[in-house]
Amino acid sequence: MAVVAAAADTTDPVLPTVAETIREAITSGEFAPNQRLVEAELSQQFGASRAGVRNALVQLATEGLVERIQNRGARVRAVSLDEAIEITEVRMALEGLCAAKAAKRVTEDDRRDMRDIGARMQEAVATGDVLGYSDLNRQLHARILAVSGQSTACTVLERLRGQNVRHQFRLAMHPGRPAVSLPQHLAVVEALCAGDAEAAEAAMRAHLRSVIEALPEVEKSRPRRAEVL
């Protein structure tokens, strides 16, 4: 874990801010849902001031990553199944739009890179590399958003990704899921490479609709254990 100096709250363009570092710890799974976020501990862990940590938690609460409870401090906000489905429905609309926009802006370099990601996804499924496939999945979605040029949508989607990271990880690890999602991703890639905006949007929406349908099944199969308090 990178250490954040107290100066990270200034305009230094190199060091991450306290909020960025805590956000990364949450979205990477280092901090679990419902885990308490104690200002003194975070201050020591990240080498930041108490005031810097407090301001960071306020910012992350506005992003939906942290929940502040009166007289009990802050904790990582847990996202329910219903909310995860709502988030994915919003993703379906926005990422469908971005896929359509990307199809109109795609270059030869973009086509080569996306087809390369698709080929590596096929290899990952063939070899059973679930974690590798999950990372390539993330890379492909990120590349499509970058090509789309839709900065506002990208900002919204990045926040939603952070809130939904636990459900996305469980889905990625669900037995058989990569084999289901692979042809969906390849269909998106082919539509993008063909410059077919309508087909690209439809393929992306179909993929995320499949995610919505799979989330309840994944939730039911998840072993139950006590929450972190």
Side-chain angles (χ1 to χ4, degrees), residues 8-76:
D9 285 327
T10 70
T11 57
D12 189 322
V14 177
L15 292 174
T17 65
V18 182
E20 288 170 344
T21 307
I22 299 175
R23 184 189 298 112
E24 175 61 25
I26 294 172
T27 58
S28 68
E30 181 178 345
F31 293 160
N34 292 319
Q35 180 173 335
R36 290 187 62 202
L37 300 171
V38 181
E39 289 180 9
E41 295 176 357
L42 294 174
S43 178
Q44 181 176 16
Q45 179 176 353
F46 298 130
S49 67
R50 289 281 295 270
V53 169
R54 189 175 305 115
N55 290 337
L57 293 177
V58 170
Q59 178 182 333
L60 295 173
T62 66
E63 297 178 14
L65 292 176
V66 168
E67 182 179 22
R68 296 178 65 83
I69 304 171
Q70 188 173 8
N71 300 324
R72 294 192 62 185
R75 67 182 180 183
V76 178

Side-chain angles (χ1 to χ4, degrees), residues 2 11 26 45 68 104 123 133-134 153 155 163 168 207 218:
T11 57
I26 294 172
Q45 179 176 353
R68 296 178 65 83
K104 297 177 181 179
E123 182 179 356
Y133 180 84
S134 178
T155 299
Q163 293 178 32
Q168 286 297 116
H207 164 57
V218 174

Side-chain angles (χ1 to χ4, degrees), residues 118-119 121-122 140 181-191:
M121 292 177 83
Q122 289 178 291
L140 179 60
S181 71
L182 175 62
Q184 298 168 357
H185 285 109
L186 295 179
V188 173
V189 169
E190 287 310 308

Side-chain angles (χ1 to χ4, degrees), residues 22-177:
I22 299 175
R23 184 189 298 112
E24 175 61 25
I26 294 172
T27 58
S28 68
E30 181 178 345
F31 293 160
N34 292 319
Q35 180 173 335
R36 290 187 62 202
L37 300 171
V38 181
E39 289 180 9
E41 295 176 357
L42 294 174
S43 178
Q44 181 176 16
Q45 179 176 353
F46 298 130
S49 67
R50 289 281 295 270
V53 169
R54 189 175 305 115
N55 290 337
L57 293 177
V58 170
Q59 178 182 333
L60 295 173
T62 66
E63 297 178 14
L65 292 176
V66 168
E67 182 179 22
R68 296 178 65 83
I69 304 171
Q70 188 173 8
N71 300 324
R72 294 192 62 185
R75 67 182 180 183
V76 178
R77 191 170 74 85
V79 174
S80 68
L81 172 61
D82 287 345
E83 188 174 357
I85 290 173
E86 287 183 12
I87 288 171
T88 310
E89 289 172 340
V90 175
R91 283 186 59 202
M92 184 167 66
L94 290 179
E95 292 200 49
L97 168 67
C98 289
K101 295 291 186 179
K104 297 177 181 179
R105 294 165 51 94
V106 68
T107 66
E108 284 304 318
D109 285 345
D110 296 327
R111 291 185 179 93
R112 181 180 63 253
D113 290 347
M114 287 190 287
R115 283 190 168 126
D116 177 65
I117 293 173
R120 286 188 286 148
M121 292 177 83
Q122 289 178 291
E123 182 179 356
V125 170
T127 59
D129 183 4
V130 179
L131 289 175
Y133 180 84
S134 178
D135 184 59
L136 290 164
N137 181 349
R138 181 191 57 77
Q139 289 182 39
L140 179 60
H141 281 267
R143 186 58 188 265
I144 293 168
L145 296 183
V147 174
S148 75
Q150 294 291 306
S151 59
T152 300
C154 290
T155 299
V156 174
L157 287 165
E158 179 61 23
R159 288 193 177 188
L160 293 177
R161 185 190 73 83
Q163 293 178 32
N164 216 22
V165 65
R166 283 286 173 175
H167 288 275
Q168 286 297 116
F169 182 77
R170 286 200 292 263
L171 178 61
M173 297 298 106
H174 193 63
R177 179 61 195 176

